[in-house]
Amino acid sequence: MYRMELQTINTLVNGEIDYEDLQSKLLVNKNKPAIININIGTTFKGAIDDLDFVIQTLENCGYSNDNYYIHCDAALCGLILPFIKHAKKITFKKPIGSISISGHKFLGCPMSCGVQITRRSYVSTLSKIEYINSADATISGSRNGFTPIFLWYCLSKKGHARLQQDSITCIENARYLKDRLLEAGISVMLNDFSITVVFERPCDHKFIRRWNLCCLRGMAHVVIMPGITRETIDSFFKDLMQERNYKWYQDVKALPPCLADDFGSKNCMCSNKKMHN
């Protein structure tokens, strides 16, 4: 949209940014300022980029604080990480420029909305939209005035304690699902501090539709939100195992796919496990 030169950075097998590739491309473009998008929970694998390591990489490549801008896309995990012990904090005490958080995801607002927080020095440059008598930087020149009411309501109703409890519960339930799948010999991956459980794609399209699963290549994922209980997880797991044992892999010649290339050999439980090791 801005007709700026774009560099796409490779990712690691877990979905996290490839820091070596970032460094090499920063060095190649050392004479130019850098605008970097950091993912605090990628859409499919739930990977969280290491903000501190990205900042250190910029410094190692000779970038001063006034020569780069970091945006943190925390659409889903922005309301989770602050409540989790040992998770690295995303804070403006670090040299970031902005952070965005969705209101319709973890918070549960009934319509798409979000908040972007940035530094006051950047806000002062916003353009004044004369006909609505307001400062705005959106493409359309205006925003939905109804969504802030939903955001306020959801935050007020839940409060700090409920948000903290939701975050902890979702993290624990995601680990619970991962452990159940792992014990059953199903290839599965769960990133640290993530609520997105990635596992082998079910063979039956009806099963995928029944459970409303999001799929990519040989993978599927489940996002453990506050409304997902242990009972729901157990029901899903039971249904999955019945389909696997009595339909998809009833024939001994039928084997689950190898997902070593998709989310790492340590997470792949296929028949080639020994070869991975």
Side-chain angles (χ1 to χ4, degrees), residues 32-277:
K32 304 172 185 176
I35 301 174
I36 302 178
N37 182 76
I38 297 298
N39 282 297
I40 312 301
T42 56
T43 53
F44 196 84
K45 295 182 178 179
I48 299 171
D49 295 332
D50 190 330
L51 173 61
D52 295 339
F53 197 58
V54 169
I55 294 171
Q56 186 62 55
T57 300
L58 283 160
E59 293 176 355
N60 293 343
C61 292
Y63 281 80
S64 56
N65 286 5
D66 61 349
N67 209 30
Y68 65 82
Y69 183 99
I70 296 176
H71 172 69
C72 299
D73 181 352
L76 175 60
C77 294
L79 286 172
I80 300 176
L81 290 189
F83 301 106
I84 304 301
K85 289 183 179 180
H86 309 301
K88 292 186 177 180
K89 304 304 180 185
I90 310 300
T91 168
F92 282 93
K93 292 179 180 179
K94 299 175 183 180
I96 65 172
S98 55
I99 180 172
S100 57
I101 303 172
S102 293
H104 59 285
K105 294 184 178 178
F106 193 76
L107 194 57
C109 289
M111 62 181 69
S112 297
C113 58
V115 173
Q116 174 153 320
I117 306 170
T118 188
R119 296 183 182 276
R120 188 180 299 275
S121 58
Y122 300 143
V123 176
S124 63
T125 64
L126 293 181
S127 56
K128 183 81 171 179
I129 310 299
E130 186 175 358
Y131 77 95
I132 60 171
N133 192 31
S134 177
D136 201 290
T138 58
I139 297 170
S140 61
S142 62
R143 289 170 289 180
N144 185 344
F146 196 34
T147 52
I149 298 175
F150 277 109
L151 286 166
W152 168 82
Y153 176 78
C154 291
L155 288 169
S156 300
K157 186 177 180 181
K158 289 195 171 186
H160 185 281
R162 175 69 182 279
L163 285 170
Q164 182 177 39
Q165 186 56 53
D166 282 352
S167 300
I168 294 171
T169 300
C170 289
I171 290 286
E172 290 177 347
N173 284 343
R175 291 171 179 165
Y176 173 74
L177 174 57
K178 179 204 170 184
D179 290 343
R180 293 219 64 181
L181 293 171
L182 199 60
E183 289 170 3
I186 298 174
S187 298
V188 60
M189 180 188 76
L190 175 64
N191 276 300
D192 291 338
F193 312 117
S194 175
I195 61 173
T196 302
V197 182
V198 188
F199 58 100
E200 63 185 52
R201 180 175 183 156
C203 297
D204 185 3
H205 185 66
K206 290 182 180 179
F207 180 90
I208 292 172
R209 290 192 63 184
R210 182 161 69 248
W211 288 98
N212 196 27
L213 299 177
C214 178
C215 299
L216 176 66
R217 297 191 299 276
M219 301 174 288
H221 78 194
V222 169
V223 183
I224 306 296
M225 300 296 274
I228 305 300
T229 63
R230 290 280 174 103
E231 290 74 22
T232 303
I233 294 172
D234 289 339
S235 178
F236 167 76
F237 178 77
K238 181 180 178 181
D239 193 13
L240 177 65
M241 294 308 297
Q242 285 181 334
E243 296 287 330
R244 281 174 57 89
N245 294 336
Y246 300 110
K247 290 184 181 180
W248 307 340
Y249 303 120
Q250 187 177 17
D251 186 345
V252 293
K253 294 182 180 180
L255 297 173
C258 176
L259 296 175
D261 292 337
D262 287 308
F263 53 51
S265 59
K266 69 177 183 178
N267 300 306
C268 182
M269 301 295 289
C270 76
S271 58
N272 295 324
K273 182 69 177 179
K274 291 182 179 180
M275 293 176 61
H276 300 158
N277 296 333

